Amino acid sequence: MGRALVWDATCVDSLAASHLPSTSQKAAAAAESAQMLKRPKMFLLRQAVSNARQLAPSVRAMSSKGPLVDLTVDNDGVAIMTLQRPPVNSLNLDLLKEISKSLDDVAKNKSRGMILTSSSPTVFSAGLDIMEMYKPDMKRAEEFWTTLQDVWFKLYGSSFATAAAINGHAPAGGCLLSMSCEYRAMVGGKFTIGLNETALGIVAPKWFMDTMCRTISMRQAELALTTAKMFTVDEALKCELIDEIATDKADAINKCKTFLKKFEKIPPLARAITKLKMREEPIKNLQTSRQADVQEFLSFLKNPKVQQSLEMYIQALKQKAAK
Ligand SMILES: CCCCCCCCCCC/C=C/C(=O)SCCNC(=O)CCNC(=O)[C@H](O)C(C)(C)COP(=O)(O)OP(=O)(O)OC[C@H]1O[C@@H](n2cnc3c(N)ncnc32)[C@H](O)[C@@H]1OP(=O)(O)O
């Protein structure tokens, strides 16, 4: 059987007034710029096609057990992705690669939705593994950051519905993962959640900030980001960083399932396209600045002051852990 092909050709007028400044500096600059602008459009098109494929109601059995991520589908057809990198699920390259692959698996499978949680009783995720940023091998650091970007694209821009059962602390990258989901239920108690990058002497990238600004109010986000605020569970609920407080992990997962059930009566394609349109802007922004974002990260790591801050932070963490 033949397959339908869609051609989307662009002819660039490299002598157009808007292109002249760049074309006069660099050959093919107009074509390159057209290509960059086209990428987000193609991404959304691919997502829409993937949504259409998900309209079929059957759910394939899925169980993928990497050492660092456990992925299972429960009887209701909901995928449960459990991070399991002791002691604190810090996101190193290996864990990010497994998350990325597991997200692909969920997308391929016709799951009703996905719940992200952790196998630790006290930590959802400690965020990025600081050891990936401290005195790094630059080649690995580049792969690390690119994989983190991939994970965000796949999670924030997923066509399947997502929820986070936050069963412990969720600083920085841990908070980002949960904010990239559509719904958050967090276990009550002494846990905290937030983007605390400035406390480490580092700056949360723009797409981290965008994700937070689309979860809580801009005013709250600015205050939280500049003061490295870690919200208690009650504070997080008050400013809508989380949606519900749960009594324990099982309760958090049940609350996420109740959220996912809301979509039973909503046509999946309409739901997915609506979600992607709502999230289109930050996705497009990172797609167009992706290479620059990697370079910014790498040059940040080369900055001696950043390395010094990281060293002091690691020492403080180790001293605290030794007590
Ligand atoms: C102009 C724009 C330019 C943009 C350029 C980009 C710039 C870079 C931006 C990078 C963005 C960064 C995002 C991040 O996610 S950074 C990571 C931030 N995370 C944290 O600050 C959390 C630190 N950890 C904790 O607070 C606690 O560990 C936690 C509350 C999570 C759990 O406490 P608990 O008491 O249960 O556990 P311990 O503290 O005893 O820790 C156990 C061991 O784990 C080690 N650990 C903890 N967190 C991390 C981590 N994030 N990475 C690596 N290792 C970690 C800790 O040291 C203990 O180790 P030892 O047992 O060996 O001592």
Side-chain angles (χ1 to χ4, degrees):
M1 288 291 281
R3 280 176 164 240
L5 281 178
V6 179
W7 288 96
D8 182 7
T10 304
C11 297
V12 190
D13 178 2
S14 51
L15 293 178
S18 57
H19 288 311
L20 271 181
S22 55
T23 310
S24 61
Q25 296 288 322
K26 190 178 170 212
E32 265 174 33
S33 133
Q35 187 192 6
M36 290 304 288
L37 288 170
K38 214 163 162 182
R39 268 186 206 149
K41 195 172 117 193
M42 297 316 285
F43 173 81
L44 288 171
L45 193 60
R46 272 200 300 276
Q47 290 286 4
V49 171
S50 137
N51 294 339
R53 287 194 185 129
Q54 290 198 7
L55 285 174
S58 71
V59 176
R60 262 183 268 148
M62 170 175 57
S63 170
S64 129
K65 289 191 196 305
L68 305 176
V69 174
D70 181 77
L71 185 62
T72 49
V73 179
D74 72 4
N75 293 337
D76 299 325
V78 173
I80 314 266
M81 188 187 295
T82 307
L83 308 183
Q84 47 184 29
R85 180 171 182 251
V88 291
N89 279 329
S90 62
L91 303 164
N92 72 344
L93 178 58
D94 298 339
L95 177 53
L96 287 171
K97 277 185 179 169
E98 270 199 42
I99 297 174
S100 181
K101 181 180 171 305
S102 301
L103 288 168
D104 288 339
D105 290 346
V106 180
K108 268 186 242 139
N109 196 277
K110 287 155 189 153
S111 307
R112 284 231 336 261
M114 187 204 78
I115 297 171
L116 181 63
T117 191
S118 147
S119 65
S120 156
T122 53
V123 184
F124 175 72
S125 164
L128 302 191
D129 191 321
I130 295 167
M131 304 319 287
E132 294 282 6
M133 298 185 279
Y134 179 59
K135 296 186 179 168
D137 167 83
M138 283 298 161
K139 197 101 201 95
R140 182 180 167 103
E142 184 171 353
E143 191 184 358
F144 170 70
W145 199 252
T146 309
T147 312
L148 177 67
Q149 291 174 332
D150 281 340
V151 164
W152 182 78
F153 281 130
K154 289 177 191 180
L155 186 57
Y156 190 73
S158 73
S159 49
F160 52 85
T162 54
I166 311 168
N167 54 326
H169 296 288
C175 177
L176 178 79
L177 286 184
S178 75
M179 290 190 301
S180 304
C181 296
E182 289 152 71
Y183 193 81
R184 284 155 291 284
M186 184 162 180
V187 174
K190 289 188 178 154
F191 304 136
T192 55
I193 179 168
L195 292 183
N196 64 335
E197 279 80 355
T198 51
L200 284 73
I202 55 182
V203 179
K206 183 68 170 60
W207 42 288
F208 282 44
M209 296 180 184
D210 286 347
T211 311
M212 180 170 251
C213 289
R214 284 163 167 267
T215 309
I216 62 177
S217 77
M218 182 79 98
R219 164 93 182 124
Q220 289 285 346
E222 183 179 318
L223 282 174
L225 282 156
T226 49
T227 60
K229 168 116 182 121
M230 290 301 294
F231 293 85
T232 64
V233 179
D234 288 336
E235 287 170 337
L237 182 69
K238 204 167 159 206
C239 73
E240 297 184 333
L241 181 53
I242 60 167
D243 299 287
E244 277 192 274
I245 299 181
T247 50
D248 55 20
K249 179 176 170 179
D251 186 36
I253 289 179
N254 274 335
K255 285 181 160 52
C256 290
K257 282 188 179 174
T258 305
F259 167 73
L260 294 174
K261 264 188 185 296
K262 286 181 200 243
F263 298 124
E264 268 174 8
K265 294 192 182 100
I266 308 285
L269 184 59
R271 187 202 65 77
I273 291 178
T274 303
K275 169 181 171 180
L276 289 177
K277 279 192 176 293
M278 292 292 296
R279 295 181 172 214
E280 186 176 356
E281 199 182 307
I283 292 173
K284 272 186 179 174
N285 286 345
L286 183 59
Q287 276 174 337
T288 46
S289 65
R290 191 169 181 173
Q291 272 315 312
D293 185 67
V294 173
Q295 290 313 317
E296 223 167 2
F297 175 66
L298 297 179
S299 62
F300 218 69
L301 296 189
K302 286 179 196 152
N303 183 330
K305 285 204 176 119
V306 170
Q307 287 301 320
Q308 208 180 347
S309 293
L310 288 175
E311 183 168 329
M312 283 163 60
Y313 195 73
I314 292 166
Q315 275 170 9
L317 270 180
K318 295 229 170 283
Q319 274 166 17
K320 194 207 93 187
K323 275 185 191 162

